[in-house]
């Protein structure tokens, strides 16, 4: 699965435990967040001053087998 900026946080986190590590790297503790089911990767990145392109790239790298 390829992560895109319009995907919800919950959808990404369900796909890989390694994705949670990327969120934690940015001090984002979205796993228990009420907004995870609705908030997109783009919204979270913008609201937290994170470069969306870099964030998505890191999530995709984490999702690769063997990462």
């Amino acid at each position: 699965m390829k992560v895109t900026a319009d995907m919800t946080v919950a959808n990404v986190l369900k796909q890989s435990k390694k994705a949670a590590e990327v969120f934690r790297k940015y001090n984002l503790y979205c796993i228990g967040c009420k907004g995870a089911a609705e908030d997109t990767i783009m919204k979270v990145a913008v609201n937290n001053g994170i470069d969306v392109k870099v964030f998505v790239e890191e999530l995709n790298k984490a999702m690769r087998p063997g990462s």
Side-chain angles (χ1 to χ4, degrees):
M1 177 185 100
K2 182 175 178 166
V3 176
T4 60
D6 63 335
M7 295 176 76
T8 65
V9 171
N11 190 14
V12 173
L13 290 171
K14 285 180 192 175
Q15 300 302 317
S16 171
K17 291 181 182 179
K18 295 231 178 196
E21 294 173 14
V22 177
F23 280 87
R24 283 192 295 273
K25 173 184 172 186
Y26 289 98
N27 294 316
L28 302 172
Y29 298 94
C30 299
I31 294 170
C33 177
K34 291 181 183 181
E38 299 172 6
D39 290 346
T40 63
I41 298 299
M42 168 90 67
K43 182 176 180 179
V44 169
V46 169
N47 287 346
N48 289 280
I50 300 168
D51 182 305
V52 177
K53 183 178 177 183
V54 171
F55 193 42
V56 169
E57 286 174 2
E58 288 186 37
L59 287 167
N60 277 310
K61 184 177 178 183
M63 302 288 258
R64 290 186 200 126
S67 295

